[in-house]
Amino acid sequence: MPPQPISPLDGRYRSTVEPLGEHLSEAGLNRARVHVEVEWLLFLTDHRLFGTEPVDAESARALRTWAAGFGQEEIDELAALEATTRHDVKAIEYLVRRKLADLGLAALAELTHFACTSEDVNNLSYALTIRAAVQDVWLPRLRDVLAALRERAEEGRAVPMLSRTHGQPATPTTIGKEFAVFVARAERVLARIEAVQPLGKFSGATGTFAAHLAADPGADWPALSREFVTGLGLTWNPLTTQIESHDWQAELFTAISHLNRILHNVCTDVWTYISLGYLTQVPQPGATGSSTMPHKINPIRFENAEANLELSSALLESLAATLVTSRLQRDLTDSTTQRNIGVALGHSLLALDNLAKGLGEIAIAPDVLAADLDANWEVLGEAIQTVIRAEVTAGRSSIADPYALLKELTRGKRVGAEELRAFVEGLDIGDAAKQRLLQLTPATYVGIADRLGDYLD
């Protein structure tokens, strides 16, 4: 066979996760590195440091256009350079120097990577690529999932459903309210994700501006660093070692993992509702559920999403735990670790894609829900004992221990509609309370479930 991808993300699922490669691939990282190197050089000349003059507009535009158009030619040239340098960022420096010569800007070559440690370039490049990957690729697919969940919540807003606390028949709800719960949970965590501020440092080998100050003691290097970092749309971090400490990445990955786990709960609940018949799966033309059982429609969208959410969270939590530690002023453990950010987000993106599609391929089964409710009248035991307790408190009943009375009637038993109504008829309670209970059915015992979705923003 010709060379084959070892990861399913680069093989079977490539078309789904490919947009992440624009940002979180090696090429995406190198494009960002070139961008940072070019912007730093132009920043230095724009500030007339070391006797320079600003690069003319045409040359600056040509340099930026080249950086933005980073493609296969640059990828191949970098590979050749790195084969000699054995250092990825040094190869970037040499690539930029060559371009400066091509544009007649060789006199500025020594400003390439000026006073930079590799991590000055790397931390900004990762911040830019992670931010772009999350905002441009991952978040839009997440919003597709949230929109699908909201649609299911609205569709089932007033459709009663038997609850299954501990897997057992329990106080009814509406199926829409249960979907609304997931929307509220996910959107709360989404707000945390959106609030994370990518940080950037640009302060030299140990974060002290030592080389900068040696080159020009009169320049306000912290102010220049802040201006440069914030000019890239990042938040400046003045207190670092050689590396930016990655705490913002840990915050982001932890929050995304948390959201993954909420969506994992969506998958397991929807899978269970399908198993119970509460939800049906809409047959897709040409699809096969089983290689031997033609009748089957397997809930594979939710199973695939469940597995990929687990993989994503495992990787994200490992990243968050590993990246916040660096020995003394620098070690290289983060280099390999960060190269797996795309893999971690890729599994989450694949899950989001399956979940969005899966939620669009299900339908509520109101007849099944109604039949299940009608078969479980004993769930009204809660309502009856609560009403009796209220009547006793109000002086309209002398029943002792209402809870024990209903426990004796219903616990572990099936109680039919007529049996339960006869029981209510014989209760020593006020007429108004008795009539309320006699009118109650499992399908109407849902409180304000149909209105709780209004609390979604």
Side-chain angles (χ1 to χ4, degrees):
M1 291 189 296
Q4 297 295 308
I6 196 170
S7 165
L9 295 181
D10 287 321
R12 181 180 181 89
Y13 305 122
R14 184 177 181 84
S15 62
T16 301
V17 302
E18 191 170 11
L20 284 175
E22 275 292 307
H23 310 289
L24 296 176
S25 61
E26 193 72 15
L29 174 63
N30 283 332
R31 180 177 59 191
R33 285 164 162 167
V34 169
H35 169 65
V36 170
E37 294 280 13
V38 165
E39 291 303 320
W40 177 234
L41 183 147
L42 293 174
F43 181 88
L44 292 171
T45 60
D46 285 347
H47 286 75
R48 303 176 186 274
L49 289 161
F50 314 110
T52 61
E53 291 293 325
V55 174
D56 67 90
E58 184 177 344
S59 295
R61 183 165 52 252
L63 198 54
R64 285 183 167 123
T65 299
W66 168 72
F70 183 94
Q72 193 59 52
E73 182 180 343
E74 288 74 24
I75 292 171
D76 293 341
E77 190 173 356
L78 268 178
L81 285 167
E82 192 176 344
T84 300
T85 63
R86 305 288 178 172
H87 193 290
D88 50 0
V89 178
K90 201 65 179 175
I92 294 286
E93 178 186 342
Y94 289 161
L95 182 73
V96 174
R97 282 173 175 260
R98 287 183 179 182
K99 191 61 182 179
L100 290 172
D102 291 345
L103 294 175
L105 300 172
L108 299 176
E110 293 307 324
L111 290 184
T112 309
H113 203 67
F114 181 82
C116 294
T117 181
S118 296
E119 271 306 293
D120 285 335
V121 175
N122 281 341
N123 88 95
L124 299 183
S125 298
Y126 270 114
L128 293 171
T129 55
I130 293 169
R131 183 182 64 185
V134 171
Q135 290 184 351
D136 298 346
V137 182
W138 187 83
L139 278 175
R141 204 60 179 127
L142 171 64
R143 292 191 176 100
D144 290 341
V145 171
L146 294 179
L149 285 170
R150 278 182 173 270
E151 188 176 338
R152 298 285 81 81
E154 185 59 32
E155 176 189 16
R157 167 189 287 260
V159 180
M161 178 183 78
L162 187 70
S163 292
R164 295 274 177 174
T165 62
H166 305 278
Q168 307 303 307
T171 299
T173 180
T174 67
I175 194 165
K177 176 258 182 182
E178 300 310 307
F179 277 111
V181 169
F182 285 122
V183 175
R185 293 177 64 192
E187 290 187 343
R188 180 172 174 272
V189 180
L190 171 59
R192 283 172 42 213
I193 293 170
E194 292 176 327
V196 172
Q197 295 183 332
L199 302 179
K201 63 87 66 174
F202 211 74
S203 49
T206 57
T208 63
F209 297 99
H212 305 68
L213 202 64
D216 186 347
D220 187 347
W221 287 108
L224 290 167
S225 173
R226 180 199 293 269
E227 183 182 346
F228 179 63
V229 171
T230 57
L232 294 172
L234 306 173
T235 299
W236 183 57
N237 186 351
L239 279 170
T240 72
T241 59
Q242 184 174 110
I243 69 167
E244 199 291 314
S245 303
H246 308 320
D247 293 321
W248 76 265
Q249 291 186 41
E251 293 166 9
L252 176 65
F253 301 152
T254 300
I256 293 176
S257 176
H258 185 177
L259 198 141
N260 280 347
R261 295 194 182 282
I262 292 171
L263 297 181
H264 184 281
N265 197 179
V266 172
C267 294
T268 56
D269 274 16
V270 171
W271 188 98
T272 304
Y273 292 145
I274 291 170
S275 177
L276 291 168
Y278 292 179
L279 296 172
T280 61
Q281 297 178 95
V282 180
Q284 301 303 301
T288 297
S290 166
S291 63
T292 186
M293 294 174 280
H295 69 284
K296 293 189 73 180
I297 306 176
N298 293 331
I300 57 173
R301 293 289 188 192
F302 302 100
E303 292 169 342
N304 180 290
E306 182 181 336
N308 278 286
L309 290 166
E310 289 171 356
L311 285 168
S312 176
S313 286
L315 288 168
L316 289 167
E317 287 165 16
S318 177
L319 287 166
T322 301
L323 288 174
V324 294
T325 297
S326 184
R327 292 173 184 82
L328 304 179
Q329 284 67 53
R330 201 321 177 223
D331 69 32
L332 208 59
T333 51
D334 62 346
S335 178
T336 293
T337 304
Q338 289 183 107
R339 280 183 163 87
N340 286 279
I341 294 169
V343 181
L345 285 179
H347 283 291
S348 183
L349 182 66
L350 179 58
L352 294 176
D353 185 73
N354 274 284
L355 191 48
K357 290 175 179 175
L359 288 169
E361 296 171 359
I362 57 175
I364 296 170
D367 292 347
V368 175
L369 291 168
D372 201 30
L373 286 163
D374 196 52
N376 287 277
W377 280 74
E378 61 273 11
V379 298
L380 296 182
E382 178 196 41
I384 296 169
Q385 66 95 9
T386 303
V387 168
I388 296 172
R389 293 172 70 176
E391 290 293 288
V392 170
T393 302
R396 291 188 292 268
S397 176
S398 59
I399 296 174
D401 200 349
Y403 181 89
L405 180 67
L406 270 297
K407 179 180 174 182
E408 177 66 25
L409 176 69
T410 61
R411 191 166 193 254
K413 302 174 185 177
R414 283 298 176 93
V415 181
E418 293 307 314
E419 185 180 355
L420 205 62
R421 283 176 175 143
F423 177 81
V424 171
E425 287 280 12
L427 287 175
D428 173 28
I429 58 176
D431 288 341
K434 186 174 294 187
Q435 289 306 310
R436 287 201 308 276
L437 290 176
L438 289 171
Q439 292 170 16
L440 203 58
T441 70
T444 60
Y445 185 46
V446 293
I448 60 168
D450 61 334
R451 304 202 305 271
L452 287 171
D454 293 341
Y455 286 97
L456 292 177
D457 293 332

